[in-house]
Amino acid sequence: MNGNKALEGVNRTGMNTQQFKADLTMLIVTMFWGSSYLFMKMGLESIQGFNLIALRFGIAFVLAGLVFYKRFMHIDFHIIKYGFLLGTILFLAISVVTIGVESTSVSNAGFLFSLAVVFVPLLLAVFFRQKVEKRIIFGVGFAILGIALLTLNNGLKISSGDFLIILGALFYAIYIIVTDKLTKNVDSITLGILQLGFTGAWALLLSLFLEEPHLPNTTESWISILALSILCSAIGFIGQTAAQQYTTPTHTGLIFSLEPVFAALFAFIFVGEVLQAKGYLGAVLVLVGILTTKIDLKKIIMKKERGKTLDRSNA
């Protein structure tokens, strides 16, 4: 009996170490994603929107493809089709956000785009008739109050930039749902790399027709493009894929909810961006709404109680 307990303790320690490393990786990835709004704002000062997206996702596609090149030997039509679909939806989300971030604050962009987490259960309820739990309703209520405080001016009007970020969050929620449906029977890493390529291809196509595409011509624009492509897209994608195997959905939800906090922190440190008092209250309410939607406290409490019961019975 004691030998079994010792072995169980070793296994648990190993699992805890793996989970700690995975959670730390997810935290770094979330920090990178939080910085993306600042880098987008920097890049847009010298590069047009579709041009920026094309460079960001094109470089990320090449880098991720080089790391996982062996997986492309088993590629088939279905995965290419799914990659095209996901890349198209991701392009819609990213392009709307990239345009929107030009006319809103970095902090607002971070908090409003995180509403994708709140939109997911609502869309599932509408299109797949999934039951909406009470915590989801409360979470949506908090989020709506937060949006109002973050975005509405004295004339009770929302800026075009804030509206576009919210629309981008809606597109991203659709992307999350479609990704979940399409990754059941395919290699998710190959699919993820292909979607980066299709996102970049759509942006390049529109840039050729609507803009004057060019490579970055300033140090600042090169920094923003390389940070977006390497840190926020390539490393972010690979890190998330690897880390999610060793941590729990609850931990993932909690860590990802920090993305807008990092966005606001970077905005404050690097560009001195400060929200009004009602803006900070709105940001807190959006975070509360996201956490309420993402975390099932009742299930966590029941799981802990079952764990205590099992420990007592094994003692």
Side-chain angles (χ1 to χ4, degrees):
M1 180 75 80
N2 289 336
N4 288 338
K5 283 187 177 180
L7 183 62
E8 187 181 330
V10 170
N11 289 338
R12 192 173 293 176
T13 302
M15 285 173 65
N16 287 341
T17 303
Q18 280 187 325
Q19 184 165 351
F20 174 76
K21 289 179 179 177
D23 288 345
L24 184 61
T25 301
M26 297 286 270
L27 185 65
I28 293 168
V29 167
T30 303
M31 184 175 67
F32 288 158
W33 285 342
S35 70
S36 66
Y37 307 97
L38 179 63
F39 288 126
M40 277 191 274
K41 198 104 171 172
M42 284 170 56
L44 289 167
E45 291 179 6
S46 56
I47 300 175
Q48 292 172 289
F50 293 127
N51 189 3
L52 184 145
I53 297 168
L55 287 168
R56 171 184 178 176
F57 284 91
I59 294 170
F61 170 69
V62 171
L63 290 174
L66 287 172
V67 173
F68 294 107
Y69 70 94
K70 290 183 180 178
R71 293 176 181 265
F72 282 86
M73 296 175 186
H74 308 289
I75 203 165
D76 59 29
F77 174 73
H78 285 291
I79 202 165
I80 293 172
K81 182 175 69 174
Y82 293 163
F84 175 78
L85 178 59
L86 288 177
T88 302
I89 301 170
L90 183 59
F91 167 72
L92 289 171
I94 295 297
S95 58
V96 168
V97 170
T98 303
I99 296 165
V101 83
E102 286 189 271
S103 52
T104 189
S105 67
V106 172
S107 303
N108 269 27
F111 282 104
L112 294 176
F113 191 66
S114 65
L115 290 169
V117 175
V118 178
F119 287 145
V120 168
L122 294 180
L123 291 174
L124 288 172
V126 171
F127 293 108
F128 296 95
R129 296 183 179 179
Q130 289 192 11
K131 185 180 177 183
V132 181
E133 299 176 42
K134 286 182 180 178
R135 64 188 174 89
I136 304 292
I137 297 169
F138 282 120
V140 170
F142 283 125
I144 289 171
L145 281 173
I147 291 171
L149 290 169
L150 266 172
T151 63
L152 294 180
N153 57 26
N154 293 333
L156 297 181
K157 289 182 180 179
I158 185 171
S159 74
S160 60
D162 288 335
F163 173 77
L164 287 171
I165 300 295
I166 294 170
L167 182 62
L170 182 61
F171 280 133
Y172 196 70
I174 295 169
Y175 164 80
I176 290 169
I177 294 169
V178 176
T179 300
D180 181 63
K181 301 296 179 185
L182 296 185
T183 53
K184 302 296 184 188
N185 302 308
V186 297
D187 181 355
S188 59
I189 292 179
T190 305
L191 179 61
I193 296 170
L194 284 174
Q195 73 182 359
L196 295 176
F198 282 117
T199 302
W202 272 118
L204 178 61
L205 183 66
L206 287 178
S207 182
L208 288 170
F209 278 102
L210 303 174
E211 301 172 346
E212 296 179 6
H214 60 86
L215 290 173
N217 50 22
T218 66
T219 303
E220 191 176 75
S221 57
W222 267 116
I223 289 171
S224 66
I225 290 295
L226 291 175
L228 285 168
S229 56
I230 297 171
L231 301 179
C232 305
S233 299
I235 292 177
F237 159 73
I238 295 167
Q240 179 197 1
T241 304
Q244 278 196 274
Q245 300 174 60
Y246 302 105
T247 190
T248 65
T250 301
H251 280 215
T252 301
L254 274 170
I255 294 166
F256 280 174
S257 68
L258 293 172
E259 181 184 330
V261 177
F262 281 123
L265 183 63
F266 286 126
F268 174 74
I269 292 171
F270 293 105
V271 292
E273 192 175 280
V274 180
L275 293 173
Q276 296 177 355
K278 72 181 184 71
Y280 282 112
L281 178 59
V284 170
L285 287 173
V286 168
L287 269 180
V288 170
I290 291 165
L291 291 172
T292 305
T293 304
K294 198 73 180 171
I295 300 163
D296 191 343
L297 288 174
K298 192 180 289 185
K299 190 179 287 186
I300 293 170
I301 293 166
M302 287 174 65
K303 191 175 180 180
K304 282 186 177 179
E305 289 298 323
R306 281 200 298 269
K308 287 178 182 177
T309 306
L310 285 171
D311 286 342
R312 289 195 202 101
S313 62
N314 289 330

